Amino acid sequence: MPKVAVIGVGQSAFVRAYPGSIRELAFEAYREAMHDAGIKAEQIDASVVCSAPEYDKQRTPAGLMAEYLGLNPQPTFYVESVCSSSSSGLRTAYALIASGLHDVVMVLGFQKMSEISSAESQERMGRGADIQWEAPFGTMMPAYYALHARGHFEKYGTTEEDLALIRLKSSTYGLINEKAVFRKELSLEKILEPKFIATPLKVFDCCANADGSSCLILASEEKAKDLCRKPVWIKGLGMATAPINMAGRDSFSGLKCAQLAAKRAYDMAGITPQDVDVAEVHDCFTIAEMMAYEDLGFAEPGQGPQLIRSKETYKEGKIPVNVDGGLLSKGHPIGATGGSQIRTIVLQLRGDAGPMQVPEAKIGLVHNIGGVGIYGNVSVFGTE
Amino acid sequence: MGFEQFGIISFTGVTKTEQFVEFLKNNELRGTACKSCGAKFFPPRSDCDKCLANDMDWFSITGEGTLITYTKAMYAPAGFEKDVPYVLGVAEFSDGIKVFGRLDKSLPDDAIKAGMKVIVRILGLEDDRLSYELTAA
Ligand SMILES: [Zn+2]
């Protein structure tokens, strides 16, 4: 397989309500990625634009973005897998380059969630599940993840306190991430206040909606060596899917799509979970990070709680996870999230992650889930 | 009226499985079974992904199931606000058939536990709407 590198990364600040339109929001990440890569628009052969369309008033946003970013007349198109859209965009861009069709491809993710109310947003997200058989009961994302939290509690004896420890870690790192939407220090007592959203998940078990954008620039090996001092290489890409309907699930203590995506990514990269130096996982809810520990093989099934209790997923631990605050603190602008996770890992592997830097990080992993385990994307990156 | 009668709010008007609603009217929750290969489906499907056939029988989901997982939703999406709080759950019945739905509102919190035995109950809602719920066996 030909080598493909990430040569530029950018991200807007994630905020509750961005004071501009989607094209302007997208430009923030684009500008940073272009400065980072040190290239001009003419050097981009094609672009892949990613968002979750239920929030977009603009139809077919790829065309709009290509024009506003100055990427006409090169090819552009739209890729969607809800919350993992920009990881699916990465997979698409990788294939475009590895096939030899293009040399330099941009992946742009964006979401402006602030234009609709939180209840309306939950209803639209709920329709990211089965609208024929489940949405008529009044479904929403927190309830779906809560079913998995209860499943994990029942099977392994996991507790609300274990989940709270994950939010405590997140708030520790959210504080030092200038681009995070939530930058307040939280105490365990505060996190455990019984303000339930969907039992056993409470307010602080859930990430916040946010407006944001992310941008990645990928290049072929030849172009990367020509254009970039510190290319970060894509070593493994795993993707898998699982039934959208809860009645089709045979487990509620983990996500099958993530387990299979992880296996595929590790196999392609020729590594094991123990080789990963730093990881970004999809913690839209605390339980999602707990399941990720196990689905990715950082802990045996049922041993996730032990990993966080012993602080092994802190920066100083054996497998640092979400040391940029994760979705819980950064916020979760659906289409931009995967690109933001990938940006964090690229900065880590370059040694440019500032106060979040994990020393000597050589192999990084991104776990990005779409819907409640409908789409699983696991991507492995390396310095060589 | 057809399938849009199903549930508190329906997002689907037309489906080849709309007979599902007729069975609810007869106080039955039914899934489909492929006439060619025998595969059983709940929620019902009109096309068999195992053998590609599209000729289906209907079977009833009866007897006791086991509650696998549940959550009490304290907030609701737009259109469902008046119902909160409500409990959503997944139960497994014979042949591994799983049913997603709400739990009986009259069940006290401490009566709801993973592993509890449940049965299906058909519900008539306002405006001739129909649904089903899980209640204690
Ligand atoms: Zn069949």
Side-chain angles (χ1 to χ4, degrees), chain A residues 1-7 93-94 96-100 102-103 218-225 231-235 268 382-384:
Chain A
M1 196 75 99
K3 288 177 81 176
V4 176
V6 182
I7 64 163
Y94 176 94
L96 291 172
I97 294 169
S99 68
H102 297 302
D103 286 321
L218 273 60
S220 62
E221 180 171 17
E222 197 186 325
K223 285 278 181 187
K225 286 182 171 161
V232 167
W233 302 97
I234 298 172
K235 309 295 288 181
M268 182 172 162
T383 52
E384 281 166 26

Side-chain angles (χ1 to χ4, degrees), chain B residues 34 36-39 48 50-53:
Chain B
C34 176
S36 297
C37 75
C48 181
K50 307 288 183 276
C51 76
L52 306 183

Side-chain angles (χ1 to χ4, degrees), chain B residues 113-133:
Chain B
K113 290 188 168 64
M116 75 184 281
K117 294 295 170 196
V118 293
I119 54 170
V120 168
R121 184 157 70 192
I122 308 304
L123 294 177
L125 306 173
E126 295 171 359
D127 303 325
D128 291 330
R129 307 188 65 79
L130 291 153
S131 190
Y132 63 85
E133 66 179 9

Side-chain angles (χ1 to χ4, degrees), chain B residues 28-49:
Chain B
E28 282 184 289
L29 183 70
R30 289 208 185 190
T32 52
C34 176
K35 281 186 184 173
S36 297
C37 75
K40 293 173 94 172
F41 303 106
F42 191 85
R45 305 175 51 112
S46 44
D47 302 290
C48 181
D49 62 336

